[in-house]
Amino acid sequence: MADLSAVTPPGIEIRPLDTVEEVFRASAVLSEVWGGDKSGMPPNLLRALAHSGNYAVGLYAHERMVGASVAFFAAPAARSMHSHITGVLPGFRSQGLGRVLKQHQREWALARDVGNITWTFDPLVARNAHFNLRVLGTRVTEYLVNHYGPMDDGVNRGDESDRIMVSWAVAARPVPTPEDDSVVAHVEVPRDIETLRRENPADAAAWRSRVRDAVARHLASGLVIGGFDDDRGYLFIRP
């Protein structure tokens, strides 16, 4: 199983969103993470998901909520849940808190007999690809073109919402990065798409089209995404 055993930093705690006040604060935190978008996880929807037994938690640093994560159950027979949104405020990133949240989500899922957690991420965000495929060892299941349609938030505004869907078998060993001799193709991604979007939107859009077309071509030829490499990007293998 995936090694998520990093020590939780002092003062960090994860709690369920049990009250209306906590729900509104989590919604505000997620809005701030996504550049002021108030529609991403509105309080009424978050309250409904939390109250009906889905995964809805706040991440606290010394009693201040600095992150949140929300997931909901799939069809009963699937024994799966979908992690819809997870975010940490900018000043608290690069401290291992994403790993702490995923460890908590995994333990929560195992306690409820959930075998798989799915989620999507932007294929152009290299740090997320690294974390999802190399650190957690998830399995890529789909490449989704413009999955959410136009998004009017500070992170995604002006770009198309292509996403990679991954599935994390929480009780299994992580999917290893493929050995070099099994890699038959790769698709490079930009080092820092967020900065590129701000400074050169045309180049960012060109990356979107280039990656989308290359991935589609390899998938159509029967290859699958087997992993991610920080230098080469997505690694394609024969199934």
Side-chain angles (χ1 to χ4, degrees):
M1 55 187 64
D3 180 13
L4 294 179
S5 56
V7 176
T8 301
I12 297 296
E13 187 178 359
I14 297 173
R15 306 176 198 160
L17 302 175
D18 289 332
T19 69
V20 171
E21 291 77 17
E22 290 166 340
V23 162
F24 270 79
R25 182 59 193 143
S27 180
V29 166
L30 292 170
S31 173
E32 185 175 345
V33 170
W34 267 268
D37 177 32
K38 297 186 180 300
S39 65
M41 182 49 67
N44 59 344
L45 176 58
L46 180 49
R47 177 65 167 168
L49 290 169
H51 189 67
S52 57
N54 291 282
Y55 182 81
V57 302
L59 175 72
Y60 292 83
H62 303 287
E63 298 303 315
R64 176 191 173 191
M65 191 185 296
V66 299
S69 184
V70 183
F72 47 81
F73 292 110
R79 294 184 55 248
S80 180
M81 69 183 195
H82 184 73
S83 182
H84 176 60
I85 190 168
T86 298
V88 177
L89 292 175
F92 293 85
R93 294 174 190 164
S94 301
Q95 299 178 28
L97 298 184
R99 184 175 294 203
V100 170
L101 273 169
K102 279 300 175 190
Q103 178 177 345
H104 183 272
Q105 193 176 75
R106 174 182 175 274
E107 292 170 352
W108 191 95
L110 285 170
R112 289 157 180 82
D113 200 30
V114 171
N116 291 276
I117 304 174
T118 63
W119 63 90
T120 65
F121 68 94
D122 186 337
L124 297 187
V125 181
R127 58 185 171 81
N128 286 349
H130 176 99
F131 179 68
N132 292 327
L133 301 185
R134 292 188 72 88
V135 177
L136 297 183
T138 62
R139 178 174 58 89
V140 173
T141 60
E142 292 181 88
Y143 186 97
L144 303 164
V145 175
N146 204 21
H147 183 52
Y148 298 110
M151 301 179 73
D152 190 27
D153 63 72
V155 174
N156 297 288
R157 187 179 297 118
D159 194 5
E160 294 188 288
S161 55
D162 286 21
R163 293 294 183 266
I164 281 179
M165 176 82 78
V166 295
S167 180
W168 189 26
V170 292
R173 300 183 67 84
V175 176
T177 300
E179 299 291 338
D180 284 346
D181 59 3
S182 67
V183 175
V184 296
H186 68 274
V187 174
E188 186 182 358
V189 297
R191 295 281 185 181
D192 184 358
I193 188 62
E194 293 100 334
T195 298
L196 194 60
R197 283 183 185 134
R198 292 192 303 268
E199 297 180 354
N200 196 328
D203 277 1
W207 270 106
R208 173 71 69 201
S209 297
R210 185 158 59 246
V211 170
R212 175 193 293 170
D213 292 347
V215 169
R217 185 171 63 254
H218 292 314
L219 294 179
S221 71
L223 303 180
V224 297
I225 299 174
F228 183 81
D229 179 82
D230 293 336
D231 294 321
R232 291 174 291 171
Y234 295 100
L235 307 176
F236 287 78
I237 61 174
R238 301 191 189 281

